[in-house]
Amino acid sequence: GGPPAEQVVTSLRAELGELISADYTLIPKLVRLIFHDCVGGCDGCVDLMDPDNAGLLVPILALKPVCSYAGEGGSIPEGSGVTRTDCWVLASFVACELSQDTTQVGFPLYSVGRYECDAEDGIGGPARSLPASTLSPRGLVDYFKAYFNLVDWEIVALLGAHTLGGADKENSGYHGVWTTKPYTLDNEYYASLENVWSQKPGPEPNGLFQWELVAPPGAVYETRVYQDTGCPLLNLPGRGPPVPPTTDFDLCKPLFMLNADIALSKDIGYGLADDGHVDCLWVDQPDYFDPRPPCPDTDGLIQWVLLYKDDNLLWVEHFQQVLLKITDTVAAPLINLGPPPGETYDPLYAAP
């Protein structure tokens, strides 16, 4: 046997903290990696031939020096019971801890021994059914219930991960960031959903439908300048941790939302086209050029958006609980390092 798992996890956590602190742009990539890995059960493998996983080679390679076994030049001792999959999960937890600003919610790794597929460096593995960005509210709920057994509040809390990072037209075909602080884990995503949005075709060559901000008078977003190159608004106060300007591309992108985000607030399921075009408007302001009716509120989901918008700490705590849940959807028995999530899982202590 190797060293105790608790000792290994403590050491890995420190190494991962150094890795992420040296490049904060890894934060959203690590959180995205673990979600894509854990659909159908976390296994430390991602099929990079799937276009939905475009861009994930970056975090996989960044984690390789830490999350490989010692015999392969990594930091995981043989025989400790800790797997590459555990290390990937831990990396996303450390990223969530380091990206908090006004809260200090811990993301503990309660167990190790997650299954690890045999693809080299985690590049490969089974095909997975990832949620379409064009989903209606019903499609969103059905997907997360089927794959993770999540209920309404858990789905809304998990989608708040979009407060981190953005979308690249080279990867997903979409282009933008969800919040003004794409490296800070807070509830701005939910506050942003309270603004007025308009669906438009995104950048060519894809032209995928995405939602662009219609800034209300006096909105904070009006003071922000967007440019495709030479973005001047880099490390402004309140924009999250400082990032080297050469890697800080996300801060140059416009604010946007996908259908899956809008679906948390507006029921866009009626007349939703296969290409994602929505047959209703965000607000009740039809005019001569656009006579579509307003989208109704999404019953069962919007109340959680409103709750999290007003309570950052509550959202971070709920997000932590959901992340613990989806990263424990594994077939292999886990070695417990502490109280299982079930003993600390108190989802409804602040129901709306």
Side-chain angles (χ1 to χ4, degrees):
E6 294 92 334
Q7 178 182 323
V8 174
V9 168
T10 299
S11 177
L12 291 175
R13 181 180 280 276
E15 285 192 60
L16 291 166
E18 292 178 6
L19 178 73
I20 297 166
S21 295
D23 183 3
Y24 271 97
T25 64
L26 283 173
I27 287 171
K29 295 178 175 69
L30 294 172
V31 175
R32 176 174 176 242
L33 172 65
I34 208 58
F35 172 72
H36 285 230
D37 181 43
C38 290
V39 172
C42 315
D43 65 359
C45 281
V46 171
D47 177 14
L48 293 179
M49 299 302 290
D50 184 341
D52 284 337
N53 293 326
L56 289 177
L57 181 62
V58 172
I60 289 174
L61 293 181
L63 291 177
K64 183 178 178 181
V66 180
C67 293
S68 300
Y69 292 100
E72 303 165 353
S75 298
I76 302 177
E78 306 286 349
S80 67
V82 179
T83 65
R84 177 178 67 234
T85 312
D86 298 326
C87 191
W88 283 13
V89 170
L90 182 61
S92 72
F93 287 5
V94 174
C96 289
E97 291 180 352
L98 291 179
S99 57
Q100 293 176 59
D101 183 10
T102 60
T103 53
Q104 290 85 38
V105 176
F107 284 68
L109 188 72
Y110 284 120
S111 52
V112 298
R114 289 167 181 79
Y115 174 74
E116 178 185 308
C117 79
D118 56 7
E120 185 177 357
D121 297 332
I123 300 172
R128 305 175 192 274
S129 176
L130 291 157
S133 55
T134 54
L135 284 176
S136 67
R138 176 47 50 198
L140 195 69
V141 170
D142 289 347
Y143 175 89
F144 283 101
K145 182 172 180 57
Y147 281 90
F148 293 110
N149 195 30
L150 301 187
V151 296
D152 288 353
W153 76 266
E154 293 173 312
I155 295 167
V156 178
L158 181 62
L159 262 289
H162 279 171
T163 201
L164 297 171
D168 294 303
K169 52 190 174 185
E170 294 80 10
N171 290 336
S172 65
Y174 297 99
H175 184 66
V177 287
W178 286 275
T179 69
T180 62
K181 305 189 295 292
Y183 305 110
T184 300
L185 189 74
D186 66 14
N187 62 343
E188 186 191 336
Y189 171 79
Y190 303 101
S192 192
L193 277 170
E194 283 289 278
N195 288 306
V196 177
W197 297 89
S198 175
Q199 192 188 50
K200 298 178 182 178
E204 296 297 336
N206 305 292
L208 302 176
F209 284 106
Q210 60 184 51
W211 294 75
E212 298 179 4
L213 184 69
V214 181
V220 64
Y221 306 110
E222 286 190 330
T223 64
R224 182 170 167 181
V225 177
Y226 303 111
Q227 294 177 232
D228 289 333
T229 57
C231 179
L233 298 182
L234 290 175
N235 302 314
L236 297 187
R239 288 283 166 91
V243 182
T246 53
T247 62
D248 199 5
F249 301 119
D250 279 345
L251 286 179
C252 304
K253 294 177 182 174
L255 290 165
F256 87 129
M257 291 281 173
L258 302 173
N259 277 9
D261 305 301
I262 299 296
L264 300 183
S265 287
K266 299 294 182 182
D267 192 341
I268 57 175
Y270 302 100
L272 179 63
D274 289 342
D275 64 359
H277 186 253
V278 171
D279 201 26
C280 59
L281 299 173
W282 181 267
V283 289
D284 187 9
Q285 291 181 329
D287 55 34
Y288 179 78
F289 301 103
D290 197 338
R292 291 176 295 168
C295 306
D297 290 344
T298 303
D299 186 47
L301 301 181
I302 191 171
Q303 57 262 51
W304 291 100
V305 171
L306 298 175
L307 185 71
Y308 295 146
K309 172 182 75 78
D310 293 330
D311 195 333
N312 182 47
L313 178 60
L314 177 70
W315 172 67
V316 177
E317 289 176 340
H318 278 198
F319 178 69
Q320 180 245 48
Q321 292 169 359
V322 180
L323 199 60
L324 289 178
K325 180 174 179 175
I326 72 167
T327 53
D328 264 351
T329 55
V330 288
L334 299 177
I335 304 169
N336 286 324
L337 302 182
E343 292 187 14
T344 57
Y345 206 58
D346 186 17
L348 297 178
Y349 66 85

